Amino acid sequence: MRIGELAERTGTARRLLRYYEEQGLLVAGRSPNGYRDYPEGCVNRVLQIRGLLESGLPTRIIRQILPCINDPRAIHVSDATPETLATLEDERRRMTDRIECLLRSREAISGYLEAVRREQRPAAARHEVTA
Amino acid sequence: MRIGELAERTGTARRLLRYYEEQGLLVAGRSPNGYRDYPEGCVNRVLQIRGLLESGLPTRIIRQILPCINDPRAIHVSDATPETLATLEDERRRMTDRIECLLRSREAISGYLEAVRREQRPAAARHEVTA
DNA sequence: TCAAACCCTCACATCGATGTGAATGTCAAG
DNA sequence: CTTGACATTCACATCGATGTGAGGGTTTGA
C-alpha cells in the first residue's frame, strides 16, 4: 500500500512515516515511480512504534526492540552482541518501572473518580452547579 | 530541605526541579533568604513526576493527575469540573493503552532474551519449555 | 488537456523537556 | 575578609518528535 493509506489506517501523519523510516524503524519498498510501497504488516508495526513512542521510548531504543517483536523467527545469536543484550535487559527494566508507575497512577485516578462519583450521587437533586 | 538535597535524593537536575515548580507540579516554600524549602514528601512527589514524564505524559496532564495521587484526602466535588473528570477518564484510558503496549513489548523482549540464551547454551537446554 | 489528488525531497519552524552559563546573593569555614 | 559551595533569576542552546510548506513529479478522471 502507499503512504496515504498507511497514514490513514494508522492515524499517523505521512511526515512521521517517512521520519520513522529515516530512523530505521520502518522499511518501505519502492514502486517503479518512486512511491513508497508498504506491506500489510506495516500497519501493526506502525501501531507498535507509536505505542512505544507514546510510552516514552526514543526511536533509538525502539529500533533495538522492534526486531525482537516483529521477527520472532529471525532470532540468531549472531545479531546479538552482548552489548545489545545488556541494552535490552536494561530497557526491559525501565519498561517495568514505567508499567508500575502507570499502574499506580491509574489506580489513583480510578480511586479519585470513584470517590467523586460517590459524592455526586447521594443528593440526587443537587445539580445547582455554577460552572 | 533545599534544592540541592532534593536533587541528589531524586537524581534530578536542579534546573528541572525549578522547571517542575514553574509548571505547577511542585510547590516549594521559601526560607527567609529566598532559598526554596521543600517538605519531605517532595521526594516521592518528584519521583512520581519523573516516572510519569518517562512514561510519556506531558506536564500539563501530570498537573491534573497529581492531585488525585498526592492528596487522597483532599477530594471534593467542588474542584472537579465535569471537564476535568472527562480529561481524567480519557487519560486513564491512554494509560491503559500504554500499559498494554509496554506489557506486550516487555514480553517480546523476554521471549527474545530467553531464545538467545537457549541458543547460547545448546548442550544444557535441549528440551526446555518453549515460552 | 486539465485539475485534483496523490506522491517525492528538502528545509525550516515549533514545542516540550532539558542543558548550560552568566550575573548575583548567602552562608559556613579557614 | 575571603573563598567555596550553595542558592537565586534569566536567557539562550540543544535535542527529539512533529508541523508545515515550497517546488516538483505521477496518476486518475472529467
Side-chain angles (χ1 to χ4, degrees):
Chain A
M1 87 194 72
R2 285 180 307 180
I3 202 174
E5 184 181 346
L6 183 58
E8 185 143 359
R9 287 174 64 183
T10 59
T12 305
R14 285 146 229 251
R15 168 74 172 88
L16 291 183
L17 295 176
R18 301 195 183 102
Y19 173 66
Y20 299 155
E21 179 176 349
E22 176 190 312
Q23 296 297 304
L25 309 183
L26 217 50
V27 206
R30 293 288 177 149
S31 299
N33 56 14
Y35 289 6
R36 265 162 264 257
D37 184 34
Y38 298 95
E40 186 64 22
C42 269
V43 174
N44 282 330
R45 193 172 176 97
V46 169
L47 292 177
Q48 261 298 347
I49 293 170
R50 293 202 61 75
L52 291 173
L53 277 173
E54 295 248 309
S55 301
L57 282 79
T59 58
R60 169 180 43 91
I61 298 297
I62 299 179
R63 179 166 45 241
Q64 293 196 277
I65 289 179
L66 273 184
C68 317
I69 297 178
N70 285 54
D71 310 329
R73 225 47 46 93
I75 293 175
H76 284 303
V77 178
S78 34
D79 1 341
T81 73
E83 184 205 69
T84 297
L85 294 189
T87 301
L88 283 179
E89 291 220 27
D90 208 64
E91 212 52 38
R92 181 173 59 169
R93 185 187 49 71
R94 297 167 67 83
M95 291 174 79
T96 298
D97 290 346
R98 278 182 252 248
I99 289 167
E100 279 166 7
C101 178
L102 288 169
L103 281 173
R104 278 198 312 273
S105 304
R106 190 180 60 168
E107 282 317 294
I109 291 177
S110 290
Y112 178 84
L113 288 175
E114 266 182 48
V116 167
R117 288 199 175 112
R118 263 197 306 277
E119 250 189 83
Q120 274 177 343
R121 268 329 119 135
R126 207 36 160 158
H127 55 300
E128 277 300 315
V129 181
T130 46
Chain B
M1 88 193 70
R2 286 180 305 179
I3 201 174
E5 185 183 346
L6 184 59
E8 184 144 359
R9 287 174 64 185
T10 58
T12 305
R14 286 146 227 253
R15 168 74 172 89
L16 291 183
L17 296 176
R18 301 197 182 101
Y19 174 66
Y20 299 156
E21 180 177 348
E22 175 190 314
Q23 296 297 303
L25 309 183
L26 217 49
V27 207
R30 292 288 176 150
S31 299
N33 57 13
Y35 290 8
R36 265 162 263 256
D37 184 35
Y38 298 95
E40 186 64 22
C42 269
V43 174
N44 282 331
R45 194 173 175 95
V46 169
L47 293 177
Q48 262 298 346
I49 293 170
R50 292 201 62 75
L52 292 173
L53 276 173
E54 294 248 310
S55 301
L57 282 80
T59 59
R60 168 180 44 90
I61 297 298
I62 298 179
R63 177 166 48 239
Q64 292 196 278
I65 73 183
L66 269 186
C68 317
I69 297 177
N70 286 52
D71 311 330
R73 225 48 46 90
I75 295 176
H76 283 303
V77 177
S78 36
D79 0 339
T81 73
E83 185 205 68
T84 297
L85 293 189
T87 302
L88 284 179
E89 291 220 26
D90 208 64
E91 213 53 38
R92 182 174 56 170
R93 185 188 47 71
R94 298 166 67 83
M95 291 173 79
T96 298
D97 290 347
R98 279 182 252 249
I99 289 167
E100 280 166 6
C101 178
L102 288 170
L103 281 173
R104 277 198 312 274
S105 304
R106 190 181 59 169
E107 281 319 292
I109 292 177
S110 291
Y112 177 84
L113 288 175
E114 268 182 47
V116 168
R117 293 208 167 102
R118 265 197 304 277
E119 250 190 83
Q120 275 176 346
R121 283 175 215 36
R126 225 6 133 166
H127 61 302
E128 286 290 297
V129 186
T130 43

